Each structure stands twice: as C-alpha cells, then as structure tokens.
Amino acid sequence: MGPRSKQLPECYKQGQFWIHPRHPFFAMDKAAISAGGITPESLYFPDVFVWIPTLLNGDNKLVCKDHKCIRSGGKNKELSIKGFNDNPIARRVITLDSCYYILTQRVECSRKSGGCGKSWNLYDPMIMEQLDPGLAACFPAFLTHRSGVDKTIMTLIRAGMAHSLSSNAWSKILRELHLREHDSRELTYLYAIQKEESKHNFSQLRYQSFVPTKSLSHVRTALEYISKSLEDHGLPQPNLGFTDNVASDDATFVEIFPSLSEGVKAVHLDEFSDLPRMTLPSHIIVPICTTEL
Ligand SMILES: [Zn+2]
C-alpha cells in the first residue's frame, strides 16, 4: 500500500499537524445557540498535536532495531501499526500559557510474523532516528518519563538560565501565565453569560444626576433610590459595585447595599500598618504657599 492511498487525518489534509479547538469567543458563541446553553466545558479543550509519521515517511519502512531481535532473526523486522494509545490517550506537554496534547500510535515488532513482540510509541527515539530528518524535526516537544515540555519553551528557559533566571523562577513564571490564561477564559465565559442575560432582561435601572461636588451626600440619594427601586421591582440587591474611590465610598455603599459586603473578605491595603509612621524632624520647616510668591 503506497503512502498516497493511506487515509490521512483531517488536519494533515489541511496541511496541519495540529487540531486547534475553537477560540474561547467562538466556543461561547456556539454554546449560546446550543441546546445545553452556555457551559464552560468547551473552554477546556486543548490543542492536540497529531503525530503519525508513518503516513508521511514516503516508502521508508520502520524496522525493529532491537539487538536481540536482529541477532535472532538475522535481519531488521518490519514494524506494524498496533493502534492508538488508550492509557493515557495522549501525552500532555507544557507550553507558555497552556498545555497541549500529543496524540500518537504505537508500532510493534509482531510475534505473528516472527518478531520480538516489543512495541514503541511513534515518538520513541528508535523510531525518530529512522524518519526523514525534516519530518522528525517537526516534533514539537521534549518528553520526559511522565510529562513533556514544548521545544520553544525549553529554548526560552535555557536562554533565561543564561541570564540568571532560576528554574524556581521559571516555575513561578509559567504558573502565573497559565493562571492568567485560565482567568482570561473564565472572563470570556462570564462575559458570554452576561451577554445572554442582557438579551433576556430588557429592563435596567439607571439613575443619573448632576451634582455640584463629589460629596457622598449627593450620591446617597441616588443609591437609596436604586436600592428601593430594585426592591419594588422584586429584583435582587447588587452584589458588585464600581467606584473610582473605594477607600472613601466603601462605607456608604455597604450601608445602603448590605448585599455588597456578603461573603467579601476585605483586603488590607496598608500592609505595613504595624510599622511606626515616619515623621519629619522638628527642626524641618515646611513652607506652605497659598499665594504667589
Ligand atoms: Zn523485534
């Protein structure tokens, strides 16, 4: 059977080793019109690298290089496809802000045709060295016993080490980037829900007022009006508020909307409150100018 007659995976036909899931935005767009509605499930789909070099290696046959097998059989036995892995189905590889998976098949030196019965993944060094070098170079990761690191990240880590960035620092950097990516997906999910809810909820409460100063006494009336109006319409009190001066507005907001403080753990902005406050020595005179000199 020639390589051209072999059935290629869809991604190979499109000129890609990768299967990319929908971008979070499109995934949520699709979920919104699906029967199940918006669920975060599709945001967890990873990129998958499909590695079946036997379909791309021309007429070159993979053979068993096991020394014992060669000695006993007298020549290199041709390997046959054993199928896809099932435990695990694919290998996880760590990259800059996410993980991707490498999906491959196993090949075996079949006992049925007089072979040694051993089997290998298609990314095993014994297989890789038999592939066309250009094809082998397409493999994107360094695999360890249980995990794997993307080759580009490994290059980045190596370059960072040369500039005194320790492995501990790299671990923290990668963790931060992975968390950020997770948060960004979660935000996409929340935006999608908000968009859906706004479609079903045409009414909104708005109170606008022009006031002479930034004093909270003017804002108070507006907030009390909103609170009462929500109650009158049978709507829940707000659980999220926005103000550009949290420190000064916080107490008034919480007084009018007790719901804002439910389940909220306050963050202490002054993290060095236990240290004494620095004061200017008494002999320093601070001139305060109120008129032009
Ligand atoms: Zn063998």
Side-chain angles (χ1 to χ4, degrees):
M1 189 166 68
R4 290 188 186 282
S5 60
K6 286 176 186 169
Q7 190 71 38
L8 292 179
E10 209 55 44
C11 57
Y12 284 10
K13 287 183 195 164
Q14 292 165 4
Q16 293 290 341
F17 281 109
W18 293 92
I19 299 173
H20 293 292
R22 279 172 198 272
H23 183 278
F25 178 82
F26 290 108
M28 289 297 93
D29 241 23
K30 185 166 184 266
I33 53 167
S34 72
I38 294 174
T39 56
E41 199 187 3
S42 53
L43 296 173
Y44 287 101
F45 294 167
D47 287 336
V48 176
F49 183 87
V50 181
W51 185 244
I52 315 179
T54 44
L55 298 175
L56 308 167
N57 206 28
D59 287 327
N60 298 336
K61 303 286 181 208
L62 296 176
V63 294
C64 180
K65 296 272 186 184
D66 185 80
H67 294 298
K68 277 189 206 159
C69 186
I70 292 170
R71 272 206 299 276
S72 65
K75 67 179 183 83
N76 293 322
K77 289 265 186 296
E78 192 179 322
L79 302 177
S80 54
I81 297 287
K82 204 179 171 201
F84 283 97
N85 288 301
D86 54 8
N87 187 28
I89 292 169
R91 288 290 303 266
R92 188 175 65 166
V93 175
I94 292 156
T95 187
L96 195 59
D97 61 1
S98 58
C99 292
Y100 61 79
Y101 284 79
I102 292 178
L103 186 71
T104 195
Q105 289 182 322
R106 286 184 83 82
V107 281
E108 67 176 337
C109 181
S110 174
R111 280 189 203 283
K112 283 181 198 157
S113 47
C116 62
K118 287 187 176 167
S119 71
W120 301 265
N121 280 308
L122 284 172
Y123 47 67
D124 190 280
M126 190 202 85
I127 305 293
M128 294 294 255
E129 65 192 24
Q130 295 184 50
L131 299 177
D132 176 70
L135 174 59
C138 298
F139 194 74
F142 296 109
L143 297 175
T144 56
H145 178 54
R146 301 188 72 110
S147 185
V149 180
D150 180 76
K151 278 183 180 170
T152 310
I153 295 304
M154 207 57 204
T155 310
L156 189 65
I157 291 172
R158 198 160 43 219
M161 293 285 188
H163 293 88
S164 313
L165 215 53
S166 67
S167 55
N168 191 29
W170 272 113
S171 162
K172 285 180 181 164
I173 292 169
L174 290 178
R175 190 171 167 76
E176 183 170 338
L177 289 168
H178 279 231
L179 281 172
R180 184 190 160 279
E181 172 62 18
H182 181 276
D183 286 352
S184 127
R185 281 169 189 247
E186 190 169 344
L187 195 60
T188 306
Y189 169 63
L190 294 173
Y191 276 138
I193 290 178
Q194 191 184 43
K195 195 167 138 192
E196 272 307 288
E197 282 181 351
S198 68
K199 281 184 195 164
H200 303 302
N201 198 358
F202 295 106
S203 61
Q204 58 171 300
L205 254 154
R206 181 179 296 188
Y207 188 100
Q208 200 169 13
S209 61
F210 297 97
V211 293
T213 70
K214 286 202 294 182
S215 163
L216 281 170
S217 61
H218 304 296
V219 182
R220 176 178 282 276
T221 319
L223 297 179
E224 282 170 352
Y225 172 82
I226 290 173
S227 177
K228 182 170 186 315
S229 195
L230 285 171
E231 201 183 314
D232 291 347
H233 288 88
L235 296 169
Q237 295 289 314
N239 53 18
L240 194 69
F242 178 83
T243 166
D244 54 4
N245 194 349
V246 179
S248 78
D249 298 353
D250 178 47
T252 308
F253 272 62
V254 168
E255 188 194 330
I256 297 165
F257 301 113
S259 54
L260 287 177
S261 64
E262 276 167 23
V264 173
K265 207 171 153 190
V267 176
H268 291 288
L269 296 173
D270 187 8
E271 59 176 314
F272 300 113
S273 59
D274 52 324
L275 298 179
R277 184 175 289 270
M278 191 177 79
T279 51
L280 290 173
S282 55
H283 66 275
I284 301 286
I285 298 158
V286 183
I288 299 171
C289 307
T290 53
T291 57
E292 284 179 29
L293 287 171

